[in-house]
Amino acid sequence: IYTDVDSLTLNQIMTRVADELPQAVGVNNHMGSKATLSDSLMAGLARELKRRNWIFIDSRTVPLSRGLPQMKRADVLSAGRDIFLDFNRDMNVIRDQLTKAVNIAKSRGWSIAIGHVRKNTLKVLAENLPEFENDGIRFVFITELLETIVRHKDNAIAESSK
């Protein structure tokens, strides 16, 4: 979504996304840092997401993103990422980022990590997820995490991850 998008075009874009990806449950702003700085654009996106009952994950590509405040105002299920797994394609960096995400989850009860569908990212995940799961870390779809946060006001997540 570009900053010059009007509400009609935004609706058309979201309709196309829904048609092309019927399994979609929400969106994130992997690209679009400039767009997330716009209250009006994020409010328009929030209306579209609310209408579809979709979620929003703010990739936090800029520190002053207006995405989450506008989603909250529109009562759209949303959250911001904690860790970007593969800003660097090096497997050691990805592994370190995954460890950071797990450490946040151990401390807070949950974390949100995002990444690309890339060979090295998938390889690191495949190699490391079983070990983390053996340590009691549960990897879930974002919809489950967000629904749990809302339903249990953050407390149940810490309890269920023990």
Side-chain angles (χ1 to χ4, degrees), residues 72-89:
K72 183 176 182 179
R73 188 170 289 127
D75 196 30
V76 172
L77 206 53
S78 58
R81 67 109 176 129
D82 295 300
I83 297 292
F84 193 170
L85 293 174
D86 56 2
F87 64 88
N88 181 310
R89 293 175 189 239

Side-chain angles (χ1 to χ4, degrees), residues 144 146-158 160:
E144 180 182 346
L146 292 179
E147 289 167 1
T148 303
I149 291 170
V150 168
R151 189 171 46 251
H152 299 287
K153 306 282 190 230
D154 291 349
N155 296 331
I157 295 169
S160 67

Side-chain angles (χ1 to χ4, degrees), residues 46 98 100 159:
L98 180 59
K100 287 178 185 177
E159 292 301 316

Side-chain angles (χ1 to χ4, degrees), residues 92-153:
N92 290 321
V93 172
I94 298 167
R95 195 172 293 109
D96 289 344
Q97 291 297 99
L98 180 59
T99 299
K100 287 178 185 177
V102 166
N103 288 337
I104 291 169
K106 286 179 177 178
S107 171
R108 184 175 64 201
W110 58 273
S111 71
I112 297 174
I114 64 171
H116 298 92
V117 181
R118 292 181 176 155
K119 180 178 154 186
N120 283 355
T121 305
L122 297 174
K123 187 171 183 179
V124 168
L125 289 170
E127 290 172 356
N128 290 275
L129 291 187
E131 174 190 337
F132 289 129
E133 288 175 339
N134 285 339
D135 288 342
I137 300 297
R138 194 164 65 99
F139 292 83
V140 299
F141 288 105
I142 191 65
T143 50
E144 180 182 346
L145 177 63
L146 292 179
E147 289 167 1
T148 303
I149 291 170
V150 168
R151 189 171 46 251
H152 299 287
K153 306 282 190 230

Side-chain angles (χ1 to χ4, degrees), residues 40-103:
S40 61
L41 186 53
M42 289 295 98
L45 179 61
R47 283 188 299 275
E48 288 293 326
L49 295 176
K50 182 67 176 175
R51 193 166 65 79
R52 289 172 170 76
N53 198 32
W54 280 12
I55 65 169
F56 176 76
I57 300 300
D58 194 333
S59 295
R60 295 187 174 166
T61 55
V62 292
L64 300 176
S65 171
R66 302 303 300 151
L68 290 177
Q70 290 300 329
M71 298 305 144
K72 183 176 182 179
R73 188 170 289 127
D75 196 30
V76 172
L77 206 53
S78 58
R81 67 109 176 129
D82 295 300
I83 297 292
F84 193 170
L85 293 174
D86 56 2
F87 64 88
N88 181 310
R89 293 175 189 239
D90 181 87
M91 288 180 59
N92 290 321
V93 172
I94 298 167
R95 195 172 293 109
D96 289 344
Q97 291 297 99
L98 180 59
T99 299
K100 287 178 185 177
V102 166
N103 288 337

